[in-house]
Amino acid sequence: RIGQAIDVSSDLILDESVAYDEAASSEEERSSSIRKILSRIVNLNNADTNMIVSDGDEDSAIQWAIDSFHLELEALASAFHDQEEELRILQSLMQDQNIRSKSISEEEDRAVEALNALEIDTHTFGEESHLVTKQCSDVMGEIDALSKVQLSSIPFHIDVDWGEGIRTQTVGRYPTINNLRL
C-alpha cells in the first residue's frame, strides 16, 4: 500500500515537473508577447495622441513586466526544485519499501512451506496413529479371546507315524494334532 502511494506521488511529481517546464516556456513566450504588445501600445499611443513618450517610460514598463515574469519564474523554479527533492526522497523510500516487501514475501513463502510440511506430517501422523490404534485394538481383541480359552480343558490327540504304520497304513505321513497338519 505504501509502495503504491509512493508510486502515485512520484507520478504526480513527475507530472508537475512536466507542467512546470511547460509553464516556464509559456511564460517566456508570454513575456516576449507582452514586450511586443507594450511596444505596439506605446507606438499606437504616440500615433493617436501625437505625444512623444520618452524611451524611459516605455523601458520602465517593459522592465517592470520582465521583472514580474522573472520573479514568477524564480518562484516556479524554486517550487520545481522543492518537488524534485521530494521526488528523490520518495524514490528512496520506495526503494526501501521494495526491499522490505521482498524480504517479507520471502519470509511468507518460507512460513507457507513450513506450514505445508507441518500439515503433511500431521496427516501422516493421523494415518499412522489410526493404523496403530487399529492394530492395538486387534491385539486387544485377540488377547481377550485367548484369555477366555482354557488350554488345559481342550483334549489333544497327537498322531505321529514314523514308519511303523504297517498296522495303521499311514507310513510317511506327517505329524498331526486332532487330525490337523502341523
Side-chain angles (χ1 to χ4, degrees), residues 40-53:
R40 287 181 187 166
I41 290 173
V42 168
N43 289 337
L44 286 176
N45 281 340
N46 286 340
D48 287 343
T49 59
N50 287 330
M51 291 186 354
I52 299 175
V53 177

Side-chain angles (χ1 to χ4, degrees), residues 9-40:
S9 296
S10 299
D11 291 341
L12 290 175
I13 290 175
L14 288 174
D15 291 342
E16 288 179 17
S17 298
V18 169
Y20 166 76
D21 290 338
E22 291 172 357
S25 40
S26 72
E27 288 299 322
E28 287 176 3
E29 289 174 9
R30 227 173 91 195
S31 172
S32 173
S33 297
I34 289 177
R35 265 195 216 138
K36 289 177 184 176
I37 291 171
L38 284 175
S39 171
R40 287 181 187 166

